[in-house]
Amino acid sequence: MRFYRPFFLLRLLFPNALFRLRTRDKLLCLTFDDGPDPVTTPLILDILETHGVKAAFFCSGKLAEEHPELMSLIKSKGHIIGNHGYHHLDGWKTISRIYLRNFSISAAFTSTTLLRPPYGRIRPFQYRELAEKYRIVFWDLMPCDFDKKITGAKVLDILKEKVRPGSIIVLHDTVCSSVLSFLNEFIDYALTAGYGFVTLPVSGKE
């Protein structure tokens, strides 16, 4: 059985983290993890630009260092950059000293203000340490576009069924994702349904 929303206990453990926009309006926030990627990033940016949508890209520090031209392109289009770690480490399985340093190294190439823990797996001590420097962002909806067993059409159906006002949506900026097969259609659907798209709040309790 798949869970497309975070476990409720995470919200209790990390009450100051951002899971969903605090709004009753039909507003959504698109976020993209694991890039930048030379193949997918420019195409995602083109789709977003066609619709006038701004998003947040939680980037790998290693890939950001390797592709500074893509990082500049993302920023030039008015999108927000977040820190996803230099390497894609699992906080549950990684020594805290190494885990924290992973984000510190990545910050030079990504962001010093916004952070998303890979897999959403982070221990309370790690969270407390990172929350002193970063706004930590989880998500409200992850439709598993990274899973090759799920078609893009199925991902689109999940999004249509489960999206709600304030949803922070996680998609993936990699060639392993089906994102390019449904992103344009999803944005069309959401706009037709009366939703608007906003970027992440960098600070505050929104």
Side-chain angles (χ1 to χ4, degrees), residues 8 17 33 38-39 45 48 58 69 78 86 88 97 104 106 112 118 130 133 146 165-166 168 170 173 187 199 205:
F8 182 72
D33 285 4
V39 175
L45 291 174
L48 295 177
F58 285 89
E69 76 287 354
Y86 192 83
H88 203 265
R97 172 179 54 81
S104 179
S106 179
T112 59
L130 290 170
K133 299 179 180 179
F146 56 85
I168 295 173
V170 179
D173 181 10
I187 295 175
T199 53
K205 304 297 181 184

Side-chain angles (χ1 to χ4, degrees), residues 17-184:
L18 188 60
F19 290 85
R20 184 180 176 190
L21 302 176
R22 292 187 178 180
T23 179
R24 295 182 180 179
D25 296 331
K26 297 181 74 172
L27 296 175
L28 304 173
C29 179
L30 287 176
T31 68
F32 298 87
D33 285 4
D34 298 348
D37 180 88
V39 175
T40 58
T41 300
L43 296 174
I44 289 172
L45 291 174
D46 285 346
I47 293 171
L48 295 177
E49 187 169 28
T50 296
H51 295 281
V53 171
K54 303 301 180 186
F57 288 76
F58 285 89
C59 296
S60 154
K62 183 176 187 298
L63 293 177
E65 183 179 17
E66 292 174 0
H67 301 288
E69 76 287 354
L70 292 177
M71 298 300 290
S72 296
L73 182 61
I74 293 170
K75 294 174 185 176
S76 73
K77 301 294 184 180
H79 303 289
I80 291 175
I81 300 291
N83 189 336
H84 203 44
Y86 192 83
H87 298 291
H88 203 265
L89 300 183
D90 184 333
W92 295 355
K93 300 178 180 180
T94 307
I95 296 171
S96 289
R97 172 179 54 81
I98 295 173
Y99 187 75
L100 298 174
R101 179 164 171 74
N102 185 53
F103 288 104
S104 179
I105 295 171
S106 179
F109 308 102
T110 59
S111 173
T112 59
T113 57
L114 285 178
L115 179 151
R116 173 173 284 152
Y119 312 104
R121 296 177 182 175
I122 184 170
R123 286 183 269 171
F125 171 75
Q126 297 164 345
Y127 173 84
R128 289 193 298 271
E129 290 292 308
L130 290 170
E132 291 183 2
K133 299 179 180 179
Y134 297 92
R135 184 77 186 278
I136 298 180
V137 182
F138 287 88
W139 57 84
D140 178 58
L141 178 56
M142 181 186 286
C144 298
D145 59 300
F146 56 85
D147 190 337
K148 292 184 178 180
K149 295 179 181 179
I150 302 179
T151 65
K154 176 61 176 176
V155 174
L156 180 61
D157 288 342
I158 294 166
L159 286 167
K160 289 179 177 180
E161 177 187 349
K162 297 187 178 297
V163 73
R164 59 185 178 176
S167 283
I168 295 173
I169 301 166
V170 179
L171 302 172
H172 292 80
D173 181 10
T174 72
V175 293
C176 295
S177 167
S178 61
V179 64
L180 293 173
S181 70
F182 65 80
L183 181 59
N184 187 69

